[in-house]
């Protein structure tokens, strides 16, 4: 009841009634997907996680995502509900599922999917810096620690500054509260 795939004098893959074991790296060709569960299954065989990626044919620059799906229907359109973590190395890459948010080269995002293949960004950023953009309201359920400044977007003359035992509010370069 075991199927073994042998190369180089050893077992590289073993399949039995208890599962499959790979003893070396496993590569799924570009433009393919790895799915935990089946698409369009409304029972316990339904897909819960989809890993997919694609590389640019000329440069090999890759894009991919991990999609945690709420696939609780036999309708293929149920692929449009869940949460995904996405990285786009190849500008405007279209993944095998049709996912294509067109965020641009070297960008990442955490996306929510509510009846949408490409979803809406919850938070996003770029590999070129440490800035993170949050979409919507950000609620803090505990402490928020700010090293020193809170700036108004795009206006370095308007800020709140925190230093030891001091809070300063500056608007348009003029101190309004100290």
């Amino acid at each position: 009841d075991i199927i073994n795939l042998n190369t180089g004098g050893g077992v590289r893959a073993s399949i039995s009634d208890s599962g499959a074991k790979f003893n070396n790296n496993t590569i799924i060709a570009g433009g393919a997907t790895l799915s935990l569960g089946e698409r369009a299954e409304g029972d316990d065989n339904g897909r819960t996680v989809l890993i997919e990626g694609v590389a640019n044919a000329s440069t090999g620059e890759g894009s991919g995502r991990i999609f945690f799906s709420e696939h609780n229907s036999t309708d293929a359109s149920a692929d449009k509900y869940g949460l995904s973590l996405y990285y786009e190395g190849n500008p405007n890459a279209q993944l095998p599922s049709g996912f294509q948010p067109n965020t641009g080269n070297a960008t990442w995002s955490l996306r929510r999917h509510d009846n949408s293949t490409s979803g809406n960004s919850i938070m996003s950023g770029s590999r070129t810096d440490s800035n993170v953009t949050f979409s919507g309201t950000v609620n803090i359920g505990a402490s928020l620690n700010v090293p020193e400044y809170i700036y108004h977007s795009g206006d370095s003359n308007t800020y709140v500054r925190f230093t030891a035992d001091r809070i300063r509010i500056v608007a348009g370069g003029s101190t309004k509260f100290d």
Side-chain angles (χ1 to χ4, degrees):
D1 290 349
I2 296 177
I3 298 171
N4 288 325
L5 299 176
N6 301 307
T7 62
V11 175
R12 301 298 174 232
S14 181
I15 302 169
S16 70
D17 61 352
S18 62
K21 179 180 178 185
F22 296 90
N23 294 317
N24 290 54
N25 295 335
T26 302
I27 298 171
I28 298 173
T33 63
L34 174 63
S35 179
L36 301 179
E38 297 176 55
R39 185 174 187 220
E41 288 289 329
D43 57 18
D44 63 347
N45 290 322
R47 185 178 75 206
T48 56
V49 178
L50 172 69
I51 301 172
E52 61 180 333
V54 67
N56 180 291
S58 61
T59 65
E61 194 168 356
S63 299
R65 78 170 173 153
I66 302 171
F67 179 46
F68 303 93
S69 61
E70 180 192 315
H71 199 85
N72 56 2
S73 171
T74 58
D75 183 350
S77 69
D79 287 347
K80 298 178 180 180
Y81 298 92
L83 183 73
S84 64
L85 179 60
Y86 177 64
Y87 178 77
E88 188 165 65
N90 174 17
N92 304 322
Q94 182 171 356
L95 300 184
S97 68
F99 178 88
Q100 185 179 19
N102 299 324
T103 58
N105 191 22
T107 58
W108 63 268
S109 60
L110 179 65
R111 305 180 81 80
R112 66 175 178 79
H113 299 264
D114 184 24
N115 197 25
S116 169
T117 300
S118 294
N120 295 304
S121 178
I122 297 169
M123 59 189 245
S124 60
S126 169
R127 72 166 160 78
T128 59
D129 58 48
S130 297
N131 298 331
V132 176
T133 300
F134 292 89
S135 301
T137 302
V138 175
N139 295 307
I140 309 295
S143 298
L144 172 65
N145 295 311
V146 177
E148 191 170 355
Y149 291 95
I150 299 175
Y151 286 98
H152 177 263
S153 181
D155 182 2
S156 60
N157 290 322
T158 302
Y159 56 87
V160 178
R161 182 178 183 194
F162 300 91
T163 57
D165 299 324
R166 186 175 187 182
I167 299 172
R168 179 181 290 169
I169 298 174
V170 176
S174 175
T175 300
K176 304 299 181 185
F177 175 85
D178 193 348

